[in-house]
Amino acid sequence: AKERGRNNFQVFSPVMDSKLKERVAIEASLRDALEKSRIEVHYQPLIDIETRRVVTLEALVRWKDPEEGYISPTRFIPIAEETGLIVPLGDFVLQRVISDMASWRKQGSVLVPVAVNVSAAQLQRASLRARIEELTRASDLSPSMLQIELTESAMFEQQDSRQDDSGTDEVSELRTLGVRVAIDDFGTGYSSLSYLKRWRVDCLKIDRSFIRDLVTDTNDHAIVAAILAMAQHLRIKVIAEGVETWSQLEALRRLGCRYAQGYLFAEPGSAARARDFLNGHRIG
Ligand code: C2E
Ligand code: CA
Ligand code: CA
Ligand code: CA
């Protein structure tokens, strides 16, 4: 795969700008990384603020390059989405998550649900529901131990492309199976809130851009308060993302936010470290 990447690179490079060059290079080496098992999955806990217990683990993909070290998903996920590589990559993450859960259970840990980030293209091109059904059944895990995290735009795209005459769509089918659904980066999607009526989502994750200045910015404070009030009426759980300081946590607690995720509690870590979180460790 690397050879093929190089050839492409030479043929087209005179007319390519540097951004496109980087894209092609990343695409080729990501393909290569998938084949050579250089993709890993790390986990970050979501915490119940009151009990300090881990309620969910979020799976976050990692690409470990022998020369460059860890490459951030913010660099390669958008390219994987554009090139369609997100489908095999997403499938790899799903397989790894399910095998990690099976091995934690085998080692005697009590599982919590694991949240997996799902791109719009994964919802559209592959039958995610059938795959989740197949993989969970093979490992004797309940689909309700999985949560998918979708951005608001992914939610809308699947609505447009998948809704057929029977009114079913991928997200509804996943929920019927028992899979939990979370809206990721909530508040950044510039979308209407009508989907909250149509789909019963399980939780909203308030984007960390609203949490960062929560303590000093009265607008952010008002937005977070409004999201919490709305979600409470709709009986949807709310998770604050990117909590880094005690004062942010205190502000969230005062606003009545029950769940949080962020470096204050733990950074994403290996599957072995995630198992420590499962074994009754309280955090903070
Ligand atoms: P996300 O889903 O919003 O994930 C949260 C990101 O915030 C993660 O970055 C996490 O490491 C980081 N984070 C957690 N706590 C804090 C904090 O307190 N402060 C700050 N500054 N950051 C914090 P990461 O792992 O680099 O992932 C970036 C994005 O890449 C994710 O954002 C998600 O959109 C995407 N992504 C990651 N893994 C996957 C995957 O398996 N599939 C898909 N489709 N997308 C993925
Ligand atoms: Ca996420
Ligand atoms: Ca997020
Ligand atoms: Ca994000």
Side-chain angles (χ1 to χ4, degrees):
K2 203 152 204 169
E3 255 78 55
R4 201 173 44 205
R6 284 219 182 92
N7 288 341
N8 283 341
F9 187 81
Q10 276 164 5
V11 172
F12 294 111
S13 75
V15 291
M16 279 197 290
D17 64 16
S18 63
K19 245 191 143 170
L20 193 52
K21 275 185 201 164
E22 189 193 74
R23 234 197 64 169
V24 170
I26 288 184
E27 182 189 352
S29 40
L30 181 56
R31 223 178 266 282
D32 196 45
L34 259 173
E35 283 166 13
K36 295 194 175 123
S37 327
R38 288 182 186 143
I39 304 294
E40 299 176 7
V41 176
H42 282 191
Y43 297 90
Q44 186 181 33
L46 279 63
I47 308 295
D48 180 326
I49 291 173
E50 279 174 31
T51 63
R52 291 291 158 85
R53 288 191 182 279
V54 176
V55 289
T56 306
L57 292 167
E58 178 174 5
L60 293 158
V61 70
R62 296 288 179 263
W63 171 3
K64 198 174 181 185
D65 185 82
E67 282 140 44
E68 285 198 57
Y70 283 110
I71 301 169
S72 167
T74 56
R75 266 181 75 198
F76 65 86
I77 291 288
I79 293 166
E81 286 173 340
E82 285 171 40
T83 57
L85 271 178
I86 193 69
V87 174
L89 180 64
D91 195 65
F92 176 87
V93 171
L94 197 59
Q95 284 184 59
R96 176 53 52 84
V97 163
I98 287 174
S99 80
D100 283 341
M101 291 176 88
S103 90
W104 292 329
R105 185 183 54 189
K106 205 174 159 200
Q107 293 170 84
S109 299
V110 177
L111 300 179
V112 298
V114 176
V116 176
N117 292 285
V118 170
S119 298
Q122 276 176 275
L123 275 180
Q124 286 159 9
R125 291 195 216 172
S127 178
L128 191 62
R129 181 185 45 80
R131 190 66 176 140
I132 287 178
E133 227 175 340
E134 179 189 354
L135 290 171
T136 51
R137 189 180 297 143
S139 293
D140 194 26
L141 286 164
S142 165
S144 66
M145 293 306 279
L146 280 182
Q147 171 165 303
I148 59 165
E149 297 196 353
L150 299 170
T151 61
E152 291 163 277
S153 58
M155 199 80 186
F156 270 89
E157 282 174 41
Q158 67 97 28
Q159 172 188 20
D160 295 342
S161 71
R162 277 293 310 268
Q163 194 141 39
D164 57 29
D165 297 339
S166 62
T168 64
D169 58 81
E170 197 71 17
V171 167
S172 304
E173 288 173 5
L174 282 162
R175 283 208 92 236
T176 304
L177 191 65
V179 174
R180 297 160 198 238
V181 176
I183 303 298
D184 210 349
D185 305 344
F186 186 76
T188 61
Y190 307 104
S191 58
S192 99
L193 296 175
S194 60
Y195 69 88
L196 292 176
K197 230 170 39 175
R198 185 188 297 244
W199 289 284
R200 295 298 314 171
V201 305
D202 300 275
C203 50
L204 301 179
K205 300 186 77 177
I206 305 180
D207 190 70
R208 73 164 173 272
S209 59
F210 299 110
I211 307 301
R212 194 180 48 227
D213 302 322
L214 178 64
V215 180
T216 50
D217 188 318
T218 52
N219 290 329
D220 286 337
H221 194 272
I223 289 167
V224 172
I227 294 172
L228 284 162
M230 178 193 69
Q232 196 172 18
H233 285 295
L234 295 170
R235 294 195 187 80
I236 299 172
K237 288 180 185 165
V238 174
I239 293 145
E241 293 193 292
V243 178
E244 295 181 352
T245 69
W246 290 108
S247 50
Q248 288 168 343
L249 181 64
E250 192 43 41
L252 286 165
R253 202 201 306 272
R254 265 190 255 120
L255 283 166
C257 182
R258 177 98 193 247
Y259 304 99
Q261 174 180 15
Y263 297 162
L264 178 64
F265 307 103
E267 291 187 18
S270 68
R273 182 153 156 66
R275 211 186 131 237
D276 292 339
F277 294 137
L278 295 179
N279 294 346
H281 284 245
R282 288 185 197 214
I283 294 188

mmCIF file of all heavy atoms in Angstrom, residues 174-208:
data_model
loop_
_atom_site.group_PDB
_atom_site.id
_atom_site.type_symbol
_atom_site.label_atom_id
_atom_site.label_comp_id
_atom_site.label_asym_id
_atom_site.label_seq_id
_atom_site.Cartn_x
_atom_site.Cartn_y
_atom_site.Cartn_z
ATOM 1 N N LEU A 174 -31.088 1.340 15.629
ATOM 2 C CA LEU A 174 -30.090 1.081 16.662
ATOM 3 C C LEU A 174 -30.705 1.168 18.052
ATOM 4 O O LEU A 174 -30.431 0.341 18.927
ATOM 5 C CB LEU A 174 -28.930 2.067 16.534
ATOM 6 C CG LEU A 174 -27.940 1.737 15.412
ATOM 7 C CD1 LEU A 174 -27.092 2.954 15.066
ATOM 8 C CD2 LEU A 174 -27.043 0.575 15.813
ATOM 9 N N ARG A 175 -31.568 2.144 18.233
ATOM 10 C CA ARG A 175 -32.212 2.291 19.549
ATOM 11 C C ARG A 175 -33.139 1.118 19.833
ATOM 12 O O ARG A 175 -33.248 0.655 20.958
ATOM 13 C CB ARG A 175 -32.954 3.616 19.642
ATOM 14 C CG ARG A 175 -32.008 4.781 19.857
ATOM 15 C CD ARG A 175 -32.692 5.911 20.590
ATOM 16 N NE ARG A 175 -32.539 5.834 22.016
ATOM 17 C CZ ARG A 175 -33.536 5.810 22.887
ATOM 18 N NH1 ARG A 175 -34.770 5.793 22.476
ATOM 19 N NH2 ARG A 175 -33.299 5.768 24.175
ATOM 20 N N THR A 176 -33.805 0.630 18.790
ATOM 21 C CA THR A 176 -34.673 -0.541 18.960
ATOM 22 C C THR A 176 -33.855 -1.739 19.433
ATOM 23 O O THR A 176 -34.302 -2.542 20.247
ATOM 24 C CB THR A 176 -35.378 -0.875 17.623
ATOM 25 O OG1 THR A 176 -36.076 0.287 17.202
ATOM 26 C CG2 THR A 176 -36.348 -2.032 17.772
ATOM 27 N N LEU A 177 -32.642 -1.820 18.944
ATOM 28 C CA LEU A 177 -31.747 -2.912 19.337
ATOM 29 C C LEU A 177 -31.281 -2.753 20.788
ATOM 30 O O LEU A 177 -30.797 -3.699 21.404
ATOM 31 C CB LEU A 177 -30.542 -2.894 18.381
ATOM 32 C CG LEU A 177 -29.574 -4.051 18.377
ATOM 33 C CD1 LEU A 177 -30.287 -5.317 17.900
ATOM 34 C CD2 LEU A 177 -28.387 -3.740 17.449
ATOM 35 N N GLY A 178 -31.416 -1.534 21.335
ATOM 36 C CA GLY A 178 -30.994 -1.290 22.710
ATOM 37 C C GLY A 178 -29.746 -0.436 22.830
ATOM 38 O O GLY A 178 -29.334 -0.088 23.937
ATOM 39 N N VAL A 179 -29.143 -0.108 21.687
ATOM 40 C CA VAL A 179 -27.939 0.725 21.695
ATOM 41 C C VAL A 179 -28.306 2.127 22.184
ATOM 42 O O VAL A 179 -29.338 2.672 21.800
ATOM 43 C CB VAL A 179 -27.339 0.810 20.267
ATOM 44 C CG1 VAL A 179 -26.164 1.778 20.213
ATOM 45 C CG2 VAL A 179 -26.919 -0.577 19.789
ATOM 46 N N ARG A 180 -27.480 2.690 23.061
ATOM 47 C CA ARG A 180 -27.739 4.054 23.546
ATOM 48 C C ARG A 180 -27.212 5.067 22.546
ATOM 49 O O ARG A 180 -26.226 4.799 21.851
ATOM 50 C CB ARG A 180 -27.033 4.274 24.875
ATOM 51 C CG ARG A 180 -27.543 3.363 25.969
ATOM 52 C CD ARG A 180 -26.507 3.277 27.086
ATOM 53 N NE ARG A 180 -26.785 2.114 27.909
ATOM 54 C CZ ARG A 180 -27.007 2.189 29.232
ATOM 55 N NH1 ARG A 180 -26.939 3.338 29.854
ATOM 56 N NH2 ARG A 180 -27.265 1.094 29.914
ATOM 57 N N VAL A 181 -27.836 6.215 22.503
ATOM 58 C CA VAL A 181 -27.425 7.242 21.542
ATOM 59 C C VAL A 181 -27.126 8.549 22.283
ATOM 60 O O VAL A 181 -27.941 9.031 23.068
ATOM 61 C CB VAL A 181 -28.521 7.473 20.478
ATOM 62 C CG1 VAL A 181 -28.128 8.608 19.532
ATOM 63 C CG2 VAL A 181 -28.785 6.187 19.684
ATOM 64 N N ALA A 182 -25.942 9.087 22.027
ATOM 65 C CA ALA A 182 -25.554 10.369 22.614
ATOM 66 C C ALA A 182 -25.303 11.374 21.499
ATOM 67 O O ALA A 182 -24.808 11.015 20.431
ATOM 68 C CB ALA A 182 -24.278 10.205 23.443
ATOM 69 N N ILE A 183 -25.677 12.626 21.746
ATOM 70 C CA ILE A 183 -25.342 13.691 20.805
ATOM 71 C C ILE A 183 -24.034 14.321 21.269
ATOM 72 O O ILE A 183 -23.934 14.823 22.391
ATOM 73 C CB ILE A 183 -26.456 14.765 20.735
ATOM 74 C CG1 ILE A 183 -27.797 14.122 20.345
ATOM 75 C CG2 ILE A 183 -26.064 15.866 19.755
ATOM 76 C CD1 ILE A 183 -27.809 13.470 18.982
ATOM 77 N N ASP A 184 -23.041 14.270 20.403
ATOM 78 C CA ASP A 184 -21.692 14.746 20.711
ATOM 79 C C ASP A 184 -21.561 16.228 20.353
ATOM 80 O O ASP A 184 -22.270 16.716 19.471
ATOM 81 C CB ASP A 184 -20.699 13.931 19.864
ATOM 82 C CG ASP A 184 -19.353 13.778 20.545
ATOM 83 O OD1 ASP A 184 -19.101 14.461 21.558
ATOM 84 O OD2 ASP A 184 -18.554 12.957 20.051
ATOM 85 N N ASP A 185 -20.654 16.911 21.038
ATOM 86 C CA ASP A 185 -20.355 18.317 20.737
ATOM 87 C C ASP A 185 -21.626 19.154 20.715
ATOM 88 O O ASP A 185 -21.772 20.070 19.893
ATOM 89 C CB ASP A 185 -19.656 18.452 19.366
ATOM 90 C CG ASP A 185 -18.391 17.610 19.248
ATOM 91 O OD1 ASP A 185 -17.884 17.171 20.289
ATOM 92 O OD2 ASP A 185 -17.932 17.399 18.116
ATOM 93 N N PHE A 186 -22.553 18.855 21.619
ATOM 94 C CA PHE A 186 -23.859 19.505 21.575
ATOM 95 C C PHE A 186 -23.716 21.024 21.675
ATOM 96 O O PHE A 186 -22.980 21.550 22.507
ATOM 97 C CB PHE A 186 -24.768 19.002 22.706
ATOM 98 C CG PHE A 186 -26.164 19.543 22.623
ATOM 99 C CD1 PHE A 186 -27.065 19.046 21.695
ATOM 100 C CD2 PHE A 186 -26.567 20.584 23.456
ATOM 101 C CE1 PHE A 186 -28.345 19.562 21.593
ATOM 102 C CE2 PHE A 186 -27.851 21.107 23.365
ATOM 103 C CZ PHE A 186 -28.739 20.599 22.427
ATOM 104 N N GLY A 187 -24.457 21.705 20.794
ATOM 105 C CA GLY A 187 -24.445 23.166 20.812
ATOM 106 C C GLY A 187 -23.592 23.774 19.714
ATOM 107 O O GLY A 187 -23.628 24.983 19.489
ATOM 108 N N THR A 188 -22.839 22.950 19.008
ATOM 109 C CA THR A 188 -21.947 23.486 17.966
ATOM 110 C C THR A 188 -22.485 23.212 16.564
ATOM 111 O O THR A 188 -21.871 23.610 15.586
ATOM 112 C CB THR A 188 -20.529 22.879 18.044
ATOM 113 O OG1 THR A 188 -20.631 21.464 17.840
ATOM 114 C CG2 THR A 188 -19.896 23.153 19.394
ATOM 115 N N GLY A 189 -23.624 22.531 16.459
ATOM 116 C CA GLY A 189 -24.083 22.048 15.156
ATOM 117 C C GLY A 189 -24.920 23.015 14.353
ATOM 118 O O GLY A 189 -25.283 22.725 13.231
ATOM 119 N N TYR A 190 -25.218 24.190 14.880
ATOM 120 C CA TYR A 190 -26.059 25.180 14.181
ATOM 121 C C TYR A 190 -27.348 24.573 13.667
ATOM 122 O O TYR A 190 -27.855 24.969 12.629
ATOM 123 C CB TYR A 190 -25.325 25.799 12.981
ATOM 124 C CG TYR A 190 -23.994 26.359 13.302
ATOM 125 C CD1 TYR A 190 -22.832 25.681 12.953
ATOM 126 C CD2 TYR A 190 -23.870 27.577 13.970
ATOM 127 C CE1 TYR A 190 -21.587 26.201 13.254
ATOM 128 C CE2 TYR A 190 -22.632 28.103 14.280
ATOM 129 C CZ TYR A 190 -21.503 27.400 13.929
ATOM 130 O OH TYR A 190 -20.274 27.905 14.222
ATOM 131 N N SER A 191 -27.864 23.564 14.378
ATOM 132 C CA SER A 191 -29.037 22.903 13.840
ATOM 133 C C SER A 191 -30.254 23.203 14.707
ATOM 134 O O SER A 191 -30.142 23.675 15.824
ATOM 135 C CB SER A 191 -28.805 21.408 13.767
ATOM 136 O OG SER A 191 -28.503 20.921 15.048
ATOM 137 N N SER A 192 -31.396 22.920 14.178
ATOM 138 C CA SER A 192 -32.609 23.076 14.975
ATOM 139 C C SER A 192 -32.673 21.941 15.983
ATOM 140 O O SER A 192 -32.003 20.927 15.843
ATOM 141 C CB SER A 192 -33.841 23.063 14.073
ATOM 142 O OG SER A 192 -34.437 21.782 14.086
ATOM 143 N N LEU A 193 -33.474 22.123 16.982
ATOM 144 C CA LEU A 193 -33.555 21.106 18.032
ATOM 145 C C LEU A 193 -34.677 20.110 17.778
ATOM 146 O O LEU A 193 -34.967 19.272 18.617
ATOM 147 C CB LEU A 193 -33.757 21.781 19.393
ATOM 148 C CG LEU A 193 -32.591 22.663 19.847
ATOM 149 C CD1 LEU A 193 -32.949 23.383 21.140
ATOM 150 C CD2 LEU A 193 -31.320 21.852 20.036
ATOM 151 N N SER A 194 -35.279 20.185 16.582
ATOM 152 C CA SER A 194 -36.456 19.352 16.329
ATOM 153 C C SER A 194 -36.139 17.865 16.421
ATOM 154 O O SER A 194 -36.998 17.060 16.757
ATOM 155 C CB SER A 194 -37.044 19.681 14.956
ATOM 156 O OG SER A 194 -36.083 19.429 13.961
ATOM 157 N N TYR A 195 -34.878 17.504 16.147
ATOM 158 C CA TYR A 195 -34.555 16.077 16.179
ATOM 159 C C TYR A 195 -34.704 15.480 17.575
ATOM 160 O O TYR A 195 -34.886 14.288 17.728
ATOM 161 C CB TYR A 195 -33.150 15.811 15.628
ATOM 162 C CG TYR A 195 -32.034 16.323 16.490
ATOM 163 C CD1 TYR A 195 -31.498 15.534 17.506
ATOM 164 C CD2 TYR A 195 -31.493 17.594 16.292
ATOM 165 C CE1 TYR A 195 -30.473 16.003 18.299
ATOM 166 C CE2 TYR A 195 -30.470 18.082 17.081
ATOM 167 C CZ TYR A 195 -29.972 17.279 18.080
ATOM 168 O OH TYR A 195 -28.967 17.742 18.864
ATOM 169 N N LEU A 196 -34.625 16.344 18.602
ATOM 170 C CA LEU A 196 -34.763 15.834 19.966
ATOM 171 C C LEU A 196 -36.178 15.313 20.225
ATOM 172 O O LEU A 196 -36.400 14.520 21.126
ATOM 173 C CB LEU A 196 -34.415 16.919 20.983
ATOM 174 C CG LEU A 196 -32.943 17.342 21.012
ATOM 175 C CD1 LEU A 196 -32.735 18.486 21.991
ATOM 176 C CD2 LEU A 196 -32.038 16.165 21.368
ATOM 177 N N LYS A 197 -37.104 15.788 19.412
ATOM 178 C CA LYS A 197 -38.468 15.316 19.516
ATOM 179 C C LYS A 197 -38.635 13.999 18.763
ATOM 180 O O LYS A 197 -39.303 13.085 19.189
ATOM 181 C CB LYS A 197 -39.395 16.366 18.901
ATOM 182 C CG LYS A 197 -40.530 16.743 19.775
ATOM 183 C CD LYS A 197 -41.303 17.950 19.255
ATOM 184 C CE LYS A 197 -41.483 18.008 17.760
ATOM 185 N NZ LYS A 197 -42.341 19.121 17.332
ATOM 186 N N ARG A 198 -37.986 13.941 17.609
ATOM 187 C CA ARG A 198 -38.162 12.786 16.737
ATOM 188 C C ARG A 198 -37.433 11.537 17.254
ATOM 189 O O ARG A 198 -37.926 10.426 17.170
ATOM 190 C CB ARG A 198 -37.644 13.125 15.346
ATOM 191 C CG ARG A 198 -37.896 12.009 14.347
ATOM 192 C CD ARG A 198 -37.196 12.318 13.042
ATOM 193 N NE ARG A 198 -37.726 13.521 12.442
ATOM 194 C CZ ARG A 198 -38.353 13.539 11.270
ATOM 195 N NH1 ARG A 198 -38.523 12.420 10.622
ATOM 196 N NH2 ARG A 198 -38.768 14.671 10.771
ATOM 197 N N TRP A 199 -36.223 11.743 17.746
ATOM 198 C CA TRP A 199 -35.451 10.602 18.245
ATOM 199 C C TRP A 199 -35.288 10.726 19.745
ATOM 200 O O TRP A 199 -34.877 11.779 20.241
ATOM 201 C CB TRP A 199 -34.053 10.572 17.607
ATOM 202 C CG TRP A 199 -34.055 10.215 16.192
ATOM 203 C CD1 TRP A 199 -34.213 8.981 15.656
ATOM 204 C CD2 TRP A 199 -33.887 11.112 15.085
ATOM 205 N NE1 TRP A 199 -34.152 9.048 14.300
ATOM 206 C CE2 TRP A 199 -33.950 10.329 13.918
ATOM 207 C CE3 TRP A 199 -33.677 12.479 14.983
ATOM 208 C CZ2 TRP A 199 -33.821 10.880 12.652
ATOM 209 C CZ3 TRP A 199 -33.554 13.030 13.740
ATOM 210 C CH2 TRP A 199 -33.636 12.241 12.581
ATOM 211 N N ARG A 200 -35.549 9.659 20.448
ATOM 212 C CA ARG A 200 -35.289 9.682 21.881
ATOM 213 C C ARG A 200 -33.808 9.420 22.101
ATOM 214 O O ARG A 200 -33.382 8.274 22.151
ATOM 215 C CB ARG A 200 -36.122 8.603 22.580
ATOM 216 C CG ARG A 200 -37.624 8.821 22.496
ATOM 217 C CD ARG A 200 -38.046 10.103 23.173
ATOM 218 N NE ARG A 200 -37.408 10.220 24.485
ATOM 219 C CZ ARG A 200 -37.454 11.300 25.235
ATOM 220 N NH1 ARG A 200 -38.061 12.373 24.804
ATOM 221 N NH2 ARG A 200 -36.859 11.316 26.409
ATOM 222 N N VAL A 201 -33.039 10.457 22.209
ATOM 223 C CA VAL A 201 -31.628 10.236 22.495
ATOM 224 C C VAL A 201 -31.450 10.068 24.001
ATOM 225 O O VAL A 201 -32.285 10.506 24.790
ATOM 226 C CB VAL A 201 -30.722 11.369 21.948
ATOM 227 C CG1 VAL A 201 -30.962 11.570 20.457
ATOM 228 C CG2 VAL A 201 -30.922 12.659 22.709
ATOM 229 N N ASP A 202 -30.385 9.375 24.385
ATOM 230 C CA ASP A 202 -30.160 9.097 25.798
ATOM 231 C C ASP A 202 -29.382 10.209 26.490
ATOM 232 O O ASP A 202 -29.604 10.489 27.648
ATOM 233 C CB ASP A 202 -29.415 7.768 25.944
ATOM 234 C CG ASP A 202 -30.223 6.637 25.356
ATOM 235 O OD1 ASP A 202 -31.078 6.102 26.080
ATOM 236 O OD2 ASP A 202 -30.043 6.316 24.159
ATOM 237 N N CYS A 203 -28.448 10.804 25.766
ATOM 238 C CA CYS A 203 -27.727 11.914 26.405
ATOM 239 C C CYS A 203 -27.183 12.943 25.440
ATOM 240 O O CYS A 203 -27.034 12.700 24.237
ATOM 241 C CB CYS A 203 -26.646 11.406 27.357
ATOM 242 S SG CYS A 203 -25.568 10.204 26.691
ATOM 243 N N LEU A 204 -26.907 14.099 26.006
ATOM 244 C CA LEU A 204 -26.297 15.209 25.289
ATOM 245 C C LEU A 204 -24.942 15.464 25.920
ATOM 246 O O LEU A 204 -24.820 15.518 27.139
ATOM 247 C CB LEU A 204 -27.134 16.484 25.458
ATOM 248 C CG LEU A 204 -28.585 16.464 24.996
ATOM 249 C CD1 LEU A 204 -29.233 17.823 25.290
ATOM 250 C CD2 LEU A 204 -28.654 16.150 23.506
ATOM 251 N N LYS A 205 -23.933 15.618 25.095
ATOM 252 C CA LYS A 205 -22.614 15.970 25.615
ATOM 253 C C LYS A 205 -22.339 17.429 25.258
ATOM 254 O O LYS A 205 -22.172 17.762 24.082
ATOM 255 C CB LYS A 205 -21.548 15.049 25.016
ATOM 256 C CG LYS A 205 -21.818 13.573 25.355
ATOM 257 C CD LYS A 205 -20.695 12.685 24.885
ATOM 258 C CE LYS A 205 -19.491 12.776 25.804
ATOM 259 N NZ LYS A 205 -18.422 11.837 25.374
ATOM 260 N N ILE A 206 -22.338 18.279 26.271
ATOM 261 C CA ILE A 206 -22.124 19.707 26.025
ATOM 262 C C ILE A 206 -20.688 19.914 25.562
ATOM 263 O O ILE A 206 -19.738 19.515 26.245
ATOM 264 C CB ILE A 206 -22.371 20.554 27.289
ATOM 265 C CG1 ILE A 206 -23.773 20.293 27.843
ATOM 266 C CG2 ILE A 206 -22.171 22.043 26.983
ATOM 267 C CD1 ILE A 206 -24.086 21.109 29.102
ATOM 268 N N ASP A 207 -20.541 20.530 24.409
ATOM 269 C CA ASP A 207 -19.216 20.722 23.827
ATOM 270 C C ASP A 207 -18.303 21.494 24.778
ATOM 271 O O ASP A 207 -18.731 22.407 25.474
ATOM 272 C CB ASP A 207 -19.341 21.480 22.501
ATOM 273 C CG ASP A 207 -18.020 21.480 21.755
ATOM 274 O OD1 ASP A 207 -17.623 20.406 21.280
ATOM 275 O OD2 ASP A 207 -17.366 22.546 21.694
ATOM 276 N N ARG A 208 -17.025 21.141 24.733
ATOM 277 C CA ARG A 208 -16.129 21.751 25.712
ATOM 278 C C ARG A 208 -15.891 23.239 25.483
ATOM 279 O O ARG A 208 -15.427 23.937 26.377
ATOM 280 C CB ARG A 208 -14.815 20.985 25.810
ATOM 281 C CG ARG A 208 -13.862 21.134 24.680
ATOM 282 C CD ARG A 208 -12.467 20.646 25.122
ATOM 283 N NE ARG A 208 -11.578 20.628 23.971
ATOM 284 C CZ ARG A 208 -11.458 19.594 23.166
ATOM 285 N NH1 ARG A 208 -12.121 18.492 23.407
ATOM 286 N NH2 ARG A 208 -10.659 19.663 22.135
#
